[in-house]
Amino acid sequence: PCSRGLDVSEAMETMKRVARCLLQQGTRMGRMRGRILPLLQGERLRTRGMDRTLVVLQPKGIQIERPIPRARLPVGQDAWLRECFSSQAYNGTRARSGSCFPKAFFSSQRPASSDNCKDPEIVIIGAGPVGVYSAILLSRYGLPCVVVDRGDGVFDLEKSMEMHPRAHVLNVRTMELLDEVGLSSDLHREMPPLDQWRYFRYATSLIGTEFGVIDHCDDRDGAYSNLRSNSHVFACHIAQPKLEYHLWKLARQSDKITFLTHHELTDIGKDGEDLVVKLRGCSDPAHVARPEETDLRCKYLIGADGSRSKVREICNIGLEGKRGIESFVSIHFKCPELAGRLNGKFAMLYFVFNPKVIACIVAHDINQGEWVAQVPFFPPAQDGTLEAEECHDLIAAIIGAQRSETPSEGKQEGSNVSSGLAEDGKTISWKLCSWRPWSMDAMIASKYSVDRRIFLVGDAAHQFPPSGGFGLNCGLQDAHNLAWKLASVIRCAKSPSVLDSYHLERKPVARDTAMLSIENHARGLLVPLAVGLDRDMLSSITQGVSASLLQSFSSPAKSLSQSLLQVAQSPLSLIQAFSKDSSSPEGSSNNLEKMFKVLLGTPMARAMQREVIQRKSIPLLFPEHDLGATYPPSEVVQCLEGARPSESASFPSTPVGKTSLPAGTRLYKPSGRPGSRLPHKFLRRVSDGKVASSVSWVSEHTAPPHLNRPQLVLFILGSTKTIQGWIESLSATDSLRVRGGKLVLAEQDMGSRGMEVSIIGVTDEERPSEMNTCEVVVEEARGEWRKVLGIEEEGVVLVRPDGYIAWRFVGPAHDMQEADVQSLSSVIV
């Protein structure tokens, strides 16, 4: 640099800034790290002129073309670097050994430009977890796709964790799906210990008096053992950003996935058999010029762009259901000190009741101090608007602390850090990260697809109340249902009519999920109802109050939560107090304290404890809903019994607490009926002794990496002799043949396109011999799985790539009629 006309101080300053940026972007500097870090000690970043930067960098062969995919840096710091590096200057980063989460991941090694996104087979709008997971599934079948997103193509875990947390529970079925792509073990390894999230606790504050606790894994209702015995994986409590981290990491390993960043959807057109996806460039933080418009031609479009879906809007798809079920202010704060102050009273959810706040608090990660409080408010009396100071007051009441009158260390004007004296007599501090009001809705799209070309998944198709944590789970399962059907049409020349089954199968599941979410929300209100906190009464009062009362709610001397709790405890007394002397907040506060002592008197405390002990409140585990969702008869489910569920998405409007809600949890009953998830049992392969779940055997055979197209799996159950008899009988039919351990249509050659069926023989013989006509596994449970499938002695079960049973025949092969053969063939064709 000195030889290029820069003095030593300027050259050293430039090198420091370059080094700092590289380190901030998670670069593995190796031995250079030890040399770079000393240069940065105590230095502040300062923006330098672009001309000198170019002089320094160009002689080293770094081309000044376009910005690299990057982690966002603080505003105003080294913005020049965002414009001076090409995408070829850095090819991404990998996790260091022993490090779970490097700071940032960079986008695909290919430049995020529309030039290399021409004419993809499938375009996905939205790079959230459902969109990225959809791309991963499609890439397993060799299908190239482009993921379009407004963001910069960078997943910065550290920054994402600072954002408002979202979903945090992955149910058992979702973990089975993530296990297919190799993520289950990583997620289980990184989630908090089970003892930190198996409980729901009811208390005056996080570190205050506890009314009751529910251990959802003590198996009193049988839910825990029911799930454990019916799957090889278990539910996972992990913050959504950590799931997204692993999904992005996996997506970047595929050369079939391209991320087109800084673009947004504007319109969808049609040109013959192709869709024309019209995109508009979005300016990035560095204000780099972007093309005004870009057109992508594709065969299929997946809308994974969230609850305000542009895809849904363009396609004029309406929403059905209920809006405004409840309103909350969601407050995200950090308090790592709580981990050592809870005295082992860990939980996933804390329900806090005290004179200053009623709230549900989610412990996203106790060890890292990630907390989110949901505080209800009641329109139109309140709009959920809070100042930072009000949020700090609510956090103090939630923790069980009295805020300090004087600013704590580092607490200056506008600071987000506060502290107070906790109930245990020690000072505790916390950081307010973000807060926002939101409305709890239960809405479902009127249709999930348009012209067998455009599909909605995730929040674009449905929005649920968070009670139960079903939103993300349902979205990932949508993607899993859709991906293999798209692949079967594209790769196996299956009839496009199979795509109609996506709407027919997933919308009824969404409707049942919305109903369960509403039911869970109602169950969650039974505990406060037991002590006189009637949500319906409060809602009625706030909708009919006078203007003078509304002014009292906004009085600076009263917090939002205090006013709400006063109304909930004694609405008539509160109205009288406000009407007589609304300028006496201190007296009202004293009255509130007295009322609260009465509220938590022995009779009411016992009432609350009774609701908790009898488990009438919201549960954590939902076995029947988790594993027991069924699909109606369709082109890919051949079943003679059962009627198609109703398409209506209207939900009953029953006052909370005015009806008897089902106590306990509905358990899952495994079934071999077509349209059901294949039941789990451990099976041992004869050839190498490998033991795996029946669910895992399906995923291993339906998406083999060398085939690039989906397959079905046919389980033949019986002795090795009857298995061989079945194979011979199937080969003897006019429409089917067995070749190389696979069942195919008679007119297919092995090299032609078509959906093949892997054959797995299942026997309970102790020492079965290997067969060259199919793979053989042994049922370790000695006939239990066969009985669960509804097969007495022998029979066959055809399983789809998503693990659902498509067809079943009970009995010996010679009992199969021509109609049965045609039914089997219709699923394969």
Side-chain angles (χ1 to χ4, degrees), residues 165-360:
R166 292 145 286 174
H168 60 98
V169 177
L170 302 175
N171 64 26
V172 174
R173 179 58 182 158
T174 297
M175 291 305 295
E176 288 181 346
L177 307 188
L178 294 173
D179 186 53
E180 290 185 12
V181 295
L183 295 183
S184 174
S185 58
D186 289 339
L187 296 175
H188 275 300
R189 185 166 53 250
E190 288 158 7
M191 74 175 182
L194 180 61
D195 284 343
Q196 285 193 5
W197 58 273
R198 62 191 292 170
Y199 304 100
F200 288 179
R201 296 185 184 274
Y202 299 80
T204 58
S205 65
L206 293 181
I207 60 178
T209 304
E210 187 175 279
F211 301 125
V213 58
I214 298 179
D215 181 356
H216 293 285
C217 297
D218 64 2
D219 216 35
R220 284 181 54 189
D221 55 8
Y224 180 74
S225 61
N226 185 238
L227 286 171
R228 280 293 195 185
S229 62
N230 284 290
S231 181
H232 62 294
V233 296
F234 190 60
C236 182
H237 172 51
I238 191 167
Q240 181 175 323
K242 295 182 181 180
L243 168 65
E244 292 184 72
Y245 164 88
H246 284 285
L247 290 172
W248 278 68
K249 178 181 177 181
L250 187 60
R252 291 192 180 91
Q253 297 174 6
S254 173
D255 60 357
K256 299 294 183 182
I257 302 174
T258 301
F259 289 90
L260 180 57
T261 59
H262 294 301
H263 282 77
E264 62 181 358
L265 177 69
T266 59
D267 202 0
I268 304 172
K270 200 170 183 181
D271 184 7
E273 293 298 317
D274 293 340
L275 295 174
V276 180
V277 182
K278 297 184 178 296
L279 307 172
R280 178 176 56 215
C282 306
S283 297
D284 62 16
H287 306 292
V288 179
R290 296 283 173 181
E292 288 298 319
E293 292 186 357
T294 300
D295 289 354
L296 293 181
R297 302 171 68 90
C298 62
K299 297 295 184 184
Y300 302 96
L301 176 71
I302 298 177
D305 48 345
S307 58
R308 300 179 181 178
S309 171
K310 186 69 173 179
V311 175
R312 190 183 64 231
E313 175 188 329
I314 292 173
C315 295
N316 198 27
I317 299 176
L319 293 172
E320 308 164 348
K322 294 181 65 175
R323 289 194 183 277
I325 299 172
E326 197 77 85
S327 298
F328 293 90
V329 176
S330 180
I331 303 174
H332 174 210
F333 66 97
K334 288 191 174 185
C335 186
E337 295 178 48
L338 275 173
R341 307 281 283 275
L342 294 173
N343 296 322
K345 295 181 179 180
F346 302 128
M348 177 189 290
L349 297 182
Y350 294 82
F351 298 90
V352 168
F353 305 88
N354 66 51
K356 297 180 180 179
V357 66
I358 298 175
C360 173

Side-chain angles (χ1 to χ4, degrees), residues 363-376:
H364 282 263
D365 194 315
I366 293 177
N367 293 332
Q368 296 181 9
E370 294 284 346
W371 300 84
V372 176
Q374 307 292 351
V375 182

Side-chain angles (χ1 to χ4, degrees), residues 14-284:
T14 301
M15 293 300 295
K16 289 177 181 177
R17 287 186 282 109
V18 173
R20 170 62 64 87
C21 289
L22 292 175
L23 287 174
Q24 285 183 332
Q25 295 177 57
T27 310
R28 294 182 66 190
M29 301 303 294
R31 295 180 180 177
M32 287 298 293
R33 181 179 295 271
R35 301 182 182 181
I36 290 176
L37 289 177
L39 297 177
L40 306 178
Q41 297 293 332
E43 294 292 336
R44 295 183 59 188
L45 300 177
R46 282 173 282 177
T47 305
R48 305 289 292 183
M50 274 292 297
D51 52 344
R52 294 187 176 181
T53 303
L54 299 183
V55 170
V56 173
L57 298 180
Q58 280 181 331
K60 294 297 182 180
I62 300 176
Q63 301 302 312
I64 313 302
E65 296 178 0
R66 61 179 71 87
I68 60 172
R70 66 197 178 282
R72 294 174 188 254
L73 302 179
V75 176
Q77 293 186 1
D78 289 345
W80 58 269
L81 192 66
R82 301 177 181 184
E83 299 181 353
C84 69
F85 280 72
S86 74
S87 60
Q88 301 167 349
Y90 193 77
N91 290 326
T93 184
R94 297 168 56 188
R96 301 192 305 272
S97 175
S99 174
C100 294
F101 301 116
K103 175 174 178 173
F105 259 114
F106 293 76
S107 62
S108 173
Q109 293 183 5
R110 287 158 290 151
S113 165
S114 59
D115 296 339
N116 62 348
C117 300
K118 294 299 182 182
D119 302 333
E121 196 82 51
I122 301 171
V123 170
I124 301 172
I125 306 296
V130 176
V132 176
Y133 180 62
S134 299
I136 292 170
L137 294 175
L138 294 168
S139 69
R140 297 178 73 215
Y141 299 121
L143 296 175
C145 56
V146 172
V147 181
V148 179
D149 192 61
R150 292 173 55 89
D152 55 9
V154 173
F155 186 79
D156 187 331
L157 181 68
E158 182 178 324
K159 183 173 183 179
S160 184
M161 290 297 290
E162 289 287 340
M163 297 171 62
H164 214 83
R166 292 145 286 174
H168 60 98
V169 177
L170 302 175
N171 64 26
V172 174
R173 179 58 182 158
T174 297
M175 291 305 295
E176 288 181 346
L177 307 188
L178 294 173
D179 186 53
E180 290 185 12
V181 295
L183 295 183
S184 174
S185 58
D186 289 339
L187 296 175
H188 275 300
R189 185 166 53 250
E190 288 158 7
M191 74 175 182
L194 180 61
D195 284 343
Q196 285 193 5
W197 58 273
R198 62 191 292 170
Y199 304 100
F200 288 179
R201 296 185 184 274
Y202 299 80
T204 58
S205 65
L206 293 181
I207 60 178
T209 304
E210 187 175 279
F211 301 125
V213 58
I214 298 179
D215 181 356
H216 293 285
C217 297
D218 64 2
D219 216 35
R220 284 181 54 189
D221 55 8
Y224 180 74
S225 61
N226 185 238
L227 286 171
R228 280 293 195 185
S229 62
N230 284 290
S231 181
H232 62 294
V233 296
F234 190 60
C236 182
H237 172 51
I238 191 167
Q240 181 175 323
K242 295 182 181 180
L243 168 65
E244 292 184 72
Y245 164 88
H246 284 285
L247 290 172
W248 278 68
K249 178 181 177 181
L250 187 60
R252 291 192 180 91
Q253 297 174 6
S254 173
D255 60 357
K256 299 294 183 182
I257 302 174
T258 301
F259 289 90
L260 180 57
T261 59
H262 294 301
H263 282 77
E264 62 181 358
L265 177 69
T266 59
D267 202 0
I268 304 172
K270 200 170 183 181
D271 184 7
E273 293 298 317
D274 293 340
L275 295 174
V276 180
V277 182
K278 297 184 178 296
L279 307 172
R280 178 176 56 215
C282 306
S283 297
D284 62 16

Side-chain angles (χ1 to χ4, degrees), residues 730-752:
L730 292 171
S731 297
T733 62
D734 294 334
S735 58
L736 300 172
R737 295 288 183 272
V738 176
R739 296 172 182 155
K742 297 182 184 296
L743 180 68
V744 298
L745 297 175
E747 61 269 19
Q748 287 181 333
D749 295 325
M750 286 302 292
S752 68

Side-chain angles (χ1 to χ4, degrees), residues 636-667:
V636 284
V637 175
Q638 293 298 314
C639 183
L640 300 178
E641 34 180 338
R644 180 168 296 166
S646 168
E647 285 291 310
S648 172
S650 60
F651 307 117
S653 180
T654 306
V656 173
K658 306 302 188 288
T659 183
S660 58
L661 293 167
T665 304
R666 293 183 286 271
L667 302 182

Side-chain angles (χ1 to χ4, degrees), residues 381-423:
Q382 298 90 35
D383 59 4
T385 302
L386 295 176
E387 299 296 331
E389 285 300 304
E390 294 176 288
C391 291
H392 279 297
D393 289 338
L394 291 173
I395 294 172
I398 287 168
I399 293 175
Q402 186 68 36
R403 284 190 70 193
S404 303
E405 295 296 331
T406 56
S408 60
E409 183 178 354
K411 184 175 183 296
Q412 303 162 356
E413 186 74 25
S415 172
N416 287 331
V417 178
S418 186
S419 64
L421 185 65
E423 293 182 23

